[in-house]
Amino acid sequence: MWFECIVSEGLSQNSYIVGSGEQAAVIDPRRDCNRYLEHADRHDAVITHIFETHRNEDFVSGALELAFPCGAKIYHGSHLDFEYGTVVQEGDHFILGSLVLSIIETPGHTEESITIVLVDTEVSREPYMVFSGDTLFPGDIARTDFFGPERKAEMAGKLYDSITARILPLGDGVIICPAHGKGSLCGSEIADHPFSTIGYEKRTNPVLALGKDAFVSRRRTESPYQPPYFRQMEIVNKKGPALLHSLSRVQALSVDAVTTLVASGCQIVDIRSPTAFAGGHIPGSFSIWRDGITSFAGWVLDFERPIVLVDDFNCNLSPVLRHFERLGYDNARGWLAGGFPAWFRAAQPVGISGVCTVQDLKRRLICEKLFLLDVRDRKNREHSGSIPGSHHVYVGELPKYLNEIPKDRSVVVYCDAGFKGSLAVSVLAQHGFHDLTNVLGGMQAWVRAGYPVER
Amino acid sequence: MWFECIVSEGLSQNSYIVGSGEQAAVIDPRRDCNRYLEHADRHDAVITHIFETHRNEDFVSGALELAFPCGAKIYHGSHLDFEYGTVVQEGDHFILGSLVLSIIETPGHTEESITIVLVDTEVSREPYMVFSGDTLFPGDIARTDFFGPERKAEMAGKLYDSITARILPLGDGVIICPAHGKGSLCGSEIADHPFSTIGYEKRTNPVLALGKDAFVSRRRTESPYQPPYFRQMEIVNKKGPALLHSLSRVQALSVDAVTTLVASGCQIVDIRSPTAFAGGHIPGSFSIWRDGITSFAGWVLDFERPIVLVDDFNCNLSPVLRHFERLGYDNARGWLAGGFPAWFRAAQPVGISGVCTVQDLKRRLICEKLFLLDVRDRKNREHSGSIPGSHHVYVGELPKYLNEIPKDRSVVVYCDAGFKGSLAVSVLAQHGFHDLTNVLGGMQAWVRAGYPVER
Amino acid sequence: MWFECIVSEGLSQNSYIVGSGEQAAVIDPRRDCNRYLEHADRHDAVITHIFETHRNEDFVSGALELAFPCGAKIYHGSHLDFEYGTVVQEGDHFILGSLVLSIIETPGHTEESITIVLVDTEVSREPYMVFSGDTLFPGDIARTDFFGPERKAEMAGKLYDSITARILPLGDGVIICPAHGKGSLCGSEIADHPFSTIGYEKRTNPVLALGKDAFVSRRRTESPYQPPYFRQMEIVNKKGPALLHSLSRVQALSVDAVTTLVASGCQIVDIRSPTAFAGGHIPGSFSIWRDGITSFAGWVLDFERPIVLVDDFNCNLSPVLRHFERLGYDNARGWLAGGFPAWFRAAQPVGISGVCTVQDLKRRLICEKLFLLDVRDRKNREHSGSIPGSHHVYVGELPKYLNEIPKDRSVVVYCDAGFKGSLAVSVLAQHGFHDLTNVLGGMQAWVRAGYPVER
Amino acid sequence: MWFECIVSEGLSQNSYIVGSGEQAAVIDPRRDCNRYLEHADRHDAVITHIFETHRNEDFVSGALELAFPCGAKIYHGSHLDFEYGTVVQEGDHFILGSLVLSIIETPGHTEESITIVLVDTEVSREPYMVFSGDTLFPGDIARTDFFGPERKAEMAGKLYDSITARILPLGDGVIICPAHGKGSLCGSEIADHPFSTIGYEKRTNPVLALGKDAFVSRRRTESPYQPPYFRQMEIVNKKGPALLHSLSRVQALSVDAVTTLVASGCQIVDIRSPTAFAGGHIPGSFSIWRDGITSFAGWVLDFERPIVLVDDFNCNLSPVLRHFERLGYDNARGWLAGGFPAWFRAAQPVGISGVCTVQDLKRRLICEKLFLLDVRDRKNREHSGSIPGSHHVYVGELPKYLNEIPKDRSVVVYCDAGFKGSLAVSVLAQHGFHDLTNVLGGMQAWVRAGYPVER
């Protein structure tokens, strides 16, 4: 057999291609699907099966995109009314060369979630791998909060049962191929391991160690953040997204073109670092650094108004555009030709915002009446403590809580490191806040400097 | 942590790079080591540790080559007098960021063989992976025949104990990262799996299922083939190979340059297919198809006389030259510019040899007094049966058994598929045999055609 | 300004992209147009203009394919009823940043041929480059035989006037960017120069040296070969070809799939070397070596029946598939998975054909009554002489002259080097000829061996 | 023949490879020479000749680096005591396949400058191309200021004669392949054309239009800037530079490693944009944006103290490291792992400097007593005018004129666009200036905003 894990960095989304003989199957393909086709070609195989472990809510499915050129059949679980593909059920199995892929239904994260068990009959009848989708991750277990507070306990219980009754008994030596890795929005505690095994998880996964009751009761009280774009993904992935060749191409945009777009209400995304943003930016833009797109675009960008990217040397555009493709931001229109320097060369208005070090902050806290705002997520604030006297609003939820922030005081924002702080500053600036400072290094630097932490 | 398995195709040799924080370690590096350095750079890490699980006998170690640019320290087991590197012993451990790499001594394949256990303390104190070198493979166990017939049983026993007493107890969920995959000369039954787990091997590995006594007694009687180049690798890897930048560059060679080299006794390697070789070749060349280099070059090529490659469109040169680099054939001199067509355009002498289908063979066997020669390996002949009336000499051992083959009869050679048969024909032609035919499709086609098989 | 010549190897077709400021223009794009888009992106420019110097007859225009993603406007000459694009006329000019592109009408090769003169106003008002399409080539002048014998003289005269009255007066220092280079079917004497200048051509172009009358009268008598696919290109390029994403994907095909296709009348194209073909091939296949596709596919392949490729190690597929794309062979279906060895492993029928060296031929000519067939083109036969006693039929026209070749005699085929000979053998084999031999090295080897040449 | 121009972007240095048959020649190779070797390999040719048109002063010659693997012979002019290579003289010629490369001596830029005339005998005996080195450029003529003020007129006269008496008479249609393009330090007025012709230059080159006397007298008074690293290049290229494999590898450096290097006096080069630098940087670093390295590193960096790079996402490192290699900065030690964010996360001291728009500047000029400093080069200041009231010191010469800048006033720096201004700010900050502001957009924005310009 041949096997490849194809990771969408940033999203931390894992897709898989497995092949045997002249056939291959892809599990949870992303939208930019050339790599699957190239792998199949290289092995002189044809992709005949596409499996979706569940209807994803954090990225756009590539199933239709991949099926279009290669003619593969798409399979998903039976408990959702997908508008494309074929339904599979418990016990269905598919043969590719020496491989047998069997379906087990593992509801909990969603109702239609399935897990695929791979047996390589050339070696044995024993399970060799499981594609566990969003059930069991290295070090964590999937979210169960998508069906409203009233069904939290029910879904958590289903998931726990799916894992303990259906997956764990497959055997300690079975390799787990999950749909996500560390950094995914789908599991905040996923370990930074490329793959895992049932045995290793049984020994080390802290959530598994809880036992069902403790797990369910914990899940009952938890309210993980849900970025608004999840809703869009659910709609798109149920009905099937647009094929990429039908979209208009993202191209370079002159300063004039960008000013026109700005005038008609586009979304400017500044993908540079917090220091670059502070040193100068297009007024009204969002500061979402290159590697923060996958986690934060979905909180602040809509799917309607055109999106324009701003970089310095335009060398970070490709990964960001790929992220947009994967997140379904088909309204990405282009990038500022010549980068941000083209903007200031053209004598266009430039926003400049404040930054300070933790040493500066320490000094200012003594002598100024700052409004100190912590924009990290709840968990982070709880685990790592906070700077004494700081208020808390999660960066993703800022627009909802603007009235809690005073417009007549210096607002100093901090997060872990300074990136989310820059996004928060950019959001506040859009809402008429003026005296804004982002703390470079955030909590990490504060702790490193040995300053007092409030818990 | 980050982790990458880097496979040398053909050799089926697996090397690994793992990193955490600002450091990385490489296990069993090959000689063309840019990929390790690039991985480290991409992760903003520096390779600080190089481990060799044992002195390899099937390829040239890249440890010195890699240590040269990055300054990493090289570690190997203590029971061999390496002329470079540092010795490690049972219980030694090395810390890289959150990772702990611990040494366990696992003699058997060689005396100094070590296995490296990886723990990721960020997750747990439990072992996560083992780099098992040449001890335990998916579906097989390492060779134990390198110390002469008198020590076969001893080494087999040691290996069995190393595996069962030291590796298997680490836990069923531990991932096994072996030094070789399917196709390696170091294990004829290795399964075609990218990696395995202790649990899966315990359930499915047929050699493990034997029990120690049966295993040792089987090993006592077995005599796996040892290609002569193994001896060279042992010497080179003990003392440390030449650095690649010190070698002269392999370049294009004109027809004139090649005829000069031929006159002074070079080795011509024709890397084309059996049909291309049959249709015309430089007289005196070896027919070793592109993907057969790693398995068969070491049987027939020496390390002294210059090597010249012949292809058709010169698009297969890169992989072959890389194989030569890995096998230590630093005497590779160049390739025929313009490919084989340049040769016949220049009106140079062309050798043409016979091919036939199994249907042809069937007919000829009835009416001719052929000498039918099976050049497959012993195991293959035993397992799959043979064509009735065929004689057997393994292709690698042909030069030793030339006197068993008649010069005055039509010699028809077959193997599995037709590739090794072409090599055999080329070797025989070099020794004055004239009436030579290679069976296209070999035993596979014979069986497929439904013809009688002798067992 | 920035400038790039993008060459389609094999076709020897030159396309160009030039840009200034935020705009770029492409001249004579091919169908696989990503490189133009990437160039534009890299320069933060958008392709706004696509020029076609004329309706091409040797490859499929990429104008629509390129306009689709980037929205550029397509321009061509006015004397043909294109079903897409916009018509330009003498004196039209287009401004891109500092560049001015002016149209001059230069009929002769076709009626609607245009030449584009580039001035870079940042430097001067003098012409800097001309995109001469199919008018003036380095060392040659375009074909003028596409309008039937009755218009040969007329078109030749027009072309001569276009060149001498419109292009040459632009100035000796002007750089010529022609639509074709050496090896193109559109000019048999094109020099092997990447570009040229008006001054250099005036001094060295042998056709220009003729003077108009001599040129026209020479053209009147010449009948260059026209591969049948030219007609298809003319139709396709007038109406606009299919977009690539609408085509079905070319994929690997199992032996079974290929046998099924063979049974229903597909076209097998064996892209290996003449020796590989001789040593074994699928009966009924065409032998068109990798680099001969652009010149010879259009003689023998139709645009209806599925095309299947056969290689040895499947490493030459990409360039060949790209050639098919450019030639409009949208009926390419796939390639034999596993290469030709998969075929003989499956005990399928194998064709084997004869090859010999010129030395062999010399001997056979003395003692056998061969039918010796020269399949080179007319010009080549005239220029280089031939082997005494040989008959002549151009390989492309073989199917028309089959009755001139005896079925009851040994037919020995030769060409320049052995490649076209192999194609000829494959075509003859399809028509029931059995005793076929291809001379390796052909005329080149014959001359090299010092054998007598007939002129 | 085959031909390729290989441009070192940034340096705007052109090198060339030409080949015919089995040989190739390289003209003015750079140090990273794999592309030449790959081209040669692709054409089945061997590089046998390396020509240096003169001892370069703006980059490190790659002649030895290239000759090492391929064994080519190195040729240069006779009027300098090179410590490697072979001397050529007027009239020497070299044959490669159908090509003849002839040497003409063309002193002026340097004494030993040569021009190489290429004839392709397959086409004609007429010159086809000239490799004009640093004599004639598109739109400009080489510098003649390297031998001190007393020899300015002499060298200018020699150069003029070399061009008019030796190169121009070769014919208007000859293609000029110069050693530099637009942006090079070796010619400030070079046109942005990929290549040129003698005819085009005769018609359009403004320097050629001057006539000898006017040219010489102009040259007598001109004093173009000479970055100090030119002297190092002259020494290195005379004696032959170190081979790259002998250098230590540039690798990632932890924050701790960087602080240690800082403490012992390393050179920090911040390759980010002016806004990123303003928003935060390592105190004491040089602000040289990615694309300014080739023009400005040589003004401020020495060849002794270790160099450390700072980027944001570490995606601009490769081009910058390549620039360093080409400029001979073999003291480049590494880059800050994790980019600048790693620095502020570690609570290290951060420098923050001022930026303003031209609108801000306009306002401040009215109400503040600023010291307004123009750091553009002399020519630029003269040609484009300046902001009224500004003082002038060229950025490269700032260290020499520090005492002309007041420490007790706000210093506002501007250049064309804001990049050189950032470098100037960084240099001033190293010398104890505190109140520093860089004008984003510089003169370009000032003009664009319609503000008054002083001439």
Side-chain angles (χ1 to χ4, degrees), chain C residues 1-3 120 122-129 139 169-175 182 191-200 203-204, chain D residues 1-3 120 122-129 139 169-175 182 191-200 203-204:
Chain C
M1 66 173 281
W2 52 274
F3 165 88
D120 182 2
E122 197 171 283
V123 173
S124 157
R125 284 270 149 205
E126 295 288 332
Y128 173 55
M129 284 178 164
L170 291 169
D172 282 10
V174 175
I175 295 164
K182 184 184 176 76
D192 190 11
H193 284 177
F195 31 72
S196 192
T197 65
I198 289 179
Y200 189 77
R203 284 185 180 193
T204 66
Chain D
M1 67 173 282
W2 51 275
F3 164 90
D120 182 1
E122 198 171 284
V123 174
S124 158
R125 283 271 147 203
E126 295 288 331
Y128 172 55
M129 283 178 165
L170 292 168
D172 281 11
V174 175
I175 294 163
K182 185 184 177 76
D192 191 13
H193 284 177
F195 32 72
S196 192
T197 66
I198 289 178
Y200 189 76
R203 283 184 180 195
T204 66

Side-chain angles (χ1 to χ4, degrees), chain C residues 230-311:
Chain C
F230 275 19
R231 189 75 199 103
Q232 170 82 359
M233 296 300 96
E234 287 168 9
I235 295 165
V236 161
N237 287 337
K238 188 164 165 241
K239 124 179 143 182
L243 297 186
L244 291 174
H245 72 249
S246 70
L247 306 178
S248 54
R249 189 175 142 80
V250 181
Q251 300 196 121
L253 298 165
S254 67
V255 169
D256 286 350
V258 173
T259 54
T260 307
L261 282 164
V262 167
S264 65
C266 72
Q267 307 175 84
I268 305 277
V269 180
D270 191 314
I271 63 173
R272 302 174 303 149
S273 67
T275 53
F277 183 81
H281 54 262
I282 300 182
S285 52
F286 291 101
S287 170
I288 318 180
W289 77 110
R290 191 185 76 158
D291 302 327
I293 293 291
T294 49
S295 297
F296 296 99
W299 279 103
V300 296
L301 301 182
D302 67 48
F303 291 85
E304 303 304 327
R305 290 178 299 150
I307 295 173
V308 175
L309 294 184
V310 176
D311 193 4

Side-chain angles (χ1 to χ4, degrees), chain D residues 140-175:
Chain D
D140 202 353
I141 281 183
R143 298 175 66 150
T144 48
D145 61 311
F146 291 149
F147 295 84
E150 61 288 2
R151 295 188 63 193
K152 273 183 180 176
E154 174 203 345
M155 297 310 285
K158 279 192 183 180
L159 179 63
Y160 202 87
D161 291 344
S162 288
I163 293 172
T164 54
R166 309 304 320 281
I167 296 177
L168 300 189
L170 292 168
D172 281 11
V174 175
I175 294 163

Side-chain angles (χ1 to χ4, degrees), chain B residues 140-380:
Chain B
D140 203 354
I141 281 184
R143 299 176 64 152
T144 48
D145 60 312
F146 290 150
F147 296 84
E150 61 287 3
R151 296 190 61 196
K152 273 183 180 176
E154 173 201 348
M155 297 310 286
K158 279 192 185 183
L159 179 63
Y160 202 86
D161 291 343
S162 290
I163 292 171
T164 53
R166 309 305 319 280
I167 297 178
L168 299 189
L170 291 168
D172 281 11
V174 175
I175 294 164
I176 300 172
C177 298
H180 288 290
K182 184 185 175 76
S184 165
L185 296 173
C186 298
S188 58
E189 305 296 324
I190 302 179
D192 192 12
H193 283 178
F195 31 73
S196 192
T197 64
I198 288 179
Y200 189 76
E201 290 312 307
K202 278 164 71 177
R203 284 187 180 193
T204 66
N205 190 309
V207 193
L208 281 186
L210 286 177
K212 181 170 176 181
D213 288 351
F215 171 71
V216 172
S217 86
R218 189 163 102 180
R219 280 292 162 99
R220 203 191 304 267
T221 58
E222 281 176 346
S223 295
Y225 295 109
Q226 288 192 23
Y229 89 107
F230 275 19
R231 189 73 199 103
Q232 170 81 0
M233 296 300 96
E234 287 169 8
I235 295 166
V236 161
N237 287 337
K238 188 163 164 244
K239 125 179 142 182
L243 296 185
L244 291 173
H245 72 249
S246 71
L247 305 178
S248 54
R249 188 174 144 79
V250 180
Q251 301 197 120
L253 296 165
S254 66
V255 169
D256 287 350
V258 172
T259 53
T260 306
L261 281 164
V262 167
S264 64
C266 73
Q267 307 175 85
I268 305 277
V269 179
D270 191 315
I271 62 173
R272 301 174 304 149
S273 67
T275 54
F277 183 82
H281 55 261
I282 300 182
S285 51
F286 290 101
S287 171
I288 318 181
W289 77 110
R290 194 185 74 157
D291 302 327
I293 293 292
T294 48
S295 298
F296 295 99
W299 278 104
V300 296
L301 301 182
D302 67 48
F303 291 85
E304 303 302 329
R305 290 179 300 150
I307 295 172
V308 174
L309 295 184
V310 176
D311 193 4
D312 264 327
F313 303 113
N314 285 349
C315 63
N316 298 296
L317 298 171
S318 307
V320 171
L321 291 173
R322 228 160 29 225
H323 290 327
F324 278 158
E325 217 168 80
R326 293 172 185 165
L327 295 171
Y329 281 107
D330 298 347
N331 48 332
R333 179 71 67 86
W335 63 88
L336 177 57
F340 184 63
W343 187 260
F344 59 65
R345 283 173 164 179
Q348 294 289 332
V350 171
I352 294 174
S353 60
V355 279
C356 71
T357 61
V358 290
Q359 291 83 351
D360 297 332
L361 174 61
K362 189 86 192 317
R363 276 189 294 275
R364 289 184 65 186
L365 281 171
I366 292 165
C367 54
E368 293 181 47
K369 223 179 129 47
L370 306 173
F371 184 85
L372 184 57
L373 180 64
D374 179 351
V375 297
R376 292 175 297 158
D377 63 37
R378 220 177 295 125
K379 232 173 195 172
N380 204 333

Side-chain angles (χ1 to χ4, degrees), chain A residues 32-62:
Chain A
D32 44 321
C33 57
N34 274 339
R35 279 189 57 190
Y36 311 114
L37 295 166
E38 288 162 7
H39 270 288
D41 284 355
R42 188 154 50 246
H43 287 91
D44 273 357
V46 172
I47 299 168
T48 49
H49 297 69
I50 297 169
F51 295 97
E52 299 202 277
T53 55
H54 64 293
R55 189 263 312 269
N56 280 286
E57 59 289 308
D58 59 327
F59 71 101
V60 172
S61 164

Side-chain angles (χ1 to χ4, degrees), chain A residues 117-179:
Chain A
V117 181
L118 182 148
V119 165
D120 182 1
T121 60
E122 198 171 281
V123 174
S124 159
R125 284 271 148 205
E126 296 288 332
Y128 172 55
M129 282 179 166
V130 277
F131 299 98
S132 60
D134 276 24
T135 55
L136 180 57
F137 300 122
D140 203 354
I141 280 183
R143 298 175 65 150
T144 48
D145 60 312
F146 290 150
F147 297 84
E150 62 287 4
R151 295 189 62 197
K152 271 184 181 177
E154 172 202 349
M155 297 309 284
K158 278 193 184 181
L159 180 63
Y160 202 87
D161 291 343
S162 289
I163 292 172
T164 54
R166 309 304 321 280
I167 297 178
L168 300 188
L170 291 168
D172 282 9
V174 176
I175 295 164
I176 301 172
C177 297

Side-chain angles (χ1 to χ4, degrees), chain A residues 237-291:
Chain A
N237 287 337
K238 186 163 166 245
K239 127 180 140 179
L243 296 186
L244 291 175
H245 72 251
S246 71
L247 306 179
S248 55
R249 188 175 143 78
V250 181
Q251 299 196 121
L253 297 166
S254 67
V255 169
D256 287 350
V258 173
T259 54
T260 307
L261 282 164
V262 167
S264 65
C266 73
Q267 307 175 85
I268 305 277
V269 180
D270 191 315
I271 63 173
R272 301 173 304 149
S273 67
T275 53
F277 183 81
H281 55 262
I282 300 182
S285 50
F286 290 101
S287 171
I288 319 180
W289 77 110
R290 194 185 74 158
D291 302 327

